[in-house]
Amino acid sequence: MQRKAVRRVLPGIAMLTALAAGAAGLTGCTGGSDGAGTSDSKAGGGAAAPAQPGKYRSLPAPCRAAADSKKLKAMLPEPDGLTPEQLDQLYAGVADSSYDGDRHVGCRWTAQTTEETRLLSVGFERVVSYDRATTSDDDKAKQVYVRLLTDAHLPFPGPVTTPGPGATNPANPGNPGNPATSTPPPANAAPPASGSPSAGAPAGAPAAGTPAPGTSPSPQPELGSRVLEGLGTEAFLDDKLSPAGATAAQSRTVRIVFRTSNVIVKVEYSVQPAVPGTVPSSAETQDRARQLALALVERFNE
């Protein structure tokens, strides 16, 4: 009789123990879930989202990107005596050595005739930020562009100011009549035609820019270095003329730098005449470099 009573009591105790353990387990799970959710919420709420990567993850081949036959032939006149194979090689360009084709690439062209030598180079740099927590690729590329703009001694774009008489251009001291802060003429602007009359000139008076009998024509106006509008995200043009020498001709080098998202593009175009006293045209040299830069902008927007 005692054994039967014990057997009946034991299952009841076991059942109560199991129910108590299950309730404790449910309570523990519920409490743990609430605690974890609170912790995750606090951690997520305090963390800032990382900066977005740049638009471009790779770079096009610069020789191929700039190989527009019409533009290259205008910038690089065909030397005499070259075979068709040599001409193809000339306009194909020579790629720069690069250890990282996804970050830095470039291409160069050289054309030499009896009258002059012309040099052209194109370079692409894809900028990457290694601190995405605070700086995006685009912001880092902007910092690189600003440094290049500063190195060119050009002011940041701002309100148009009119300098007083005799004021000099800090970006180009040798060209006081073309301050970088004044509104510049377009890069492809041609000088006024020699036969066009000046506004307000009396009837019968010689037109402005028309040389007097027995005098040589006046030199073409200098367009000067300046910030450019409508070229990529932001751009500037740096125009430099070598000092005049007694036996050497003056060479002109035009460099255009523009940024499109996280890529910096550089176009450098030099004209070196062989005849002393010859000065390459500012308007023509700038226009050809700018036309190539515009074509590269379209290439990146494809």
Side-chain angles (χ1 to χ4, degrees):
M1 292 295 293
Q2 290 178 354
R3 290 180 180 178
K4 290 182 180 180
V6 170
R7 289 177 180 176
R8 290 177 181 175
V9 171
L10 288 177
I13 295 175
M15 183 178 296
L16 291 175
T17 302
L19 290 175
L26 290 175
T27 305
C29 292
T30 304
S33 175
D34 290 342
T38 304
S39 175
D40 290 343
S41 175
K42 290 180 179 179
Q52 293 296 319
K55 176 181 178 180
Y56 302 104
R57 307 294 182 88
S58 61
L59 294 171
C63 295
R64 196 177 308 153
D68 182 294
S69 59
K70 293 181 180 179
K71 289 184 175 62
L72 283 182
K73 288 182 179 179
M75 301 179 78
L76 306 169
E78 180 179 317
D80 297 330
L82 295 185
T83 65
E85 292 76 13
Q86 290 173 327
L87 285 175
D88 291 342
Q89 185 177 3
L90 167 67
Y91 293 121
V94 178
D96 294 343
S97 300
S98 177
Y99 296 100
D100 190 349
D102 285 337
R103 294 291 305 278
H104 296 87
V105 290
C107 192
R108 299 178 182 275
W109 294 261
T110 303
Q112 187 173 9
T113 65
T114 56
E115 293 82 16
E116 61 187 4
T117 299
R118 297 192 182 190
L119 307 174
L120 172 66
S121 67
V122 171
F124 303 152
E125 177 185 358
R126 186 173 67 92
V127 181
V128 176
S129 172
Y130 293 103
D131 186 8
R132 292 275 180 80
T134 59
T135 307
S136 67
D137 291 348
D138 281 23
D139 291 338
K140 185 66 176 178
K142 184 175 182 62
Q143 295 175 8
V144 174
Y145 171 83
V146 168
R147 186 176 69 247
L148 294 171
L149 183 70
T150 304
D151 292 343
H153 304 290
L154 287 174
F156 296 104
V160 175
T161 59
T162 303
T168 59
N169 174 10
N172 191 358
N175 186 21
N178 244 328
T181 53
S182 62
T183 304
N188 58 355
S194 58
S196 59
S198 302
T210 303
T215 61
S216 59
S218 58
Q220 292 183 342
E222 295 289 319
L223 299 182
S225 304
R226 63 196 183 278
V227 172
L228 297 177
E229 299 289 341
L231 186 63
T233 307
E234 49 195 346
F236 70 86
L237 181 149
D238 190 14
D239 188 336
K240 291 183 178 178
L241 190 65
S242 67
T247 59
Q250 288 184 275
S251 62
R252 182 182 297 280
T253 299
V254 171
R255 183 171 65 116
I256 293 179
V257 177
F258 70 85
R259 179 177 74 89
T260 172
S261 187
N262 61 315
V263 171
I264 304 292
V265 177
K266 300 176 184 177
V267 175
E268 188 168 300
Y269 182 44
S270 296
V271 180
Q272 304 172 358
V275 181
T278 304
V279 180
S281 166
S282 173
E284 179 182 339
T285 309
Q286 289 190 20
D287 179 60
R288 288 175 175 172
R290 190 168 182 270
Q291 291 301 321
L292 178 59
L294 287 169
L296 294 175
V297 171
E298 295 178 359
R299 171 64 180 82
F300 276 93
N301 289 337
E302 290 178 353

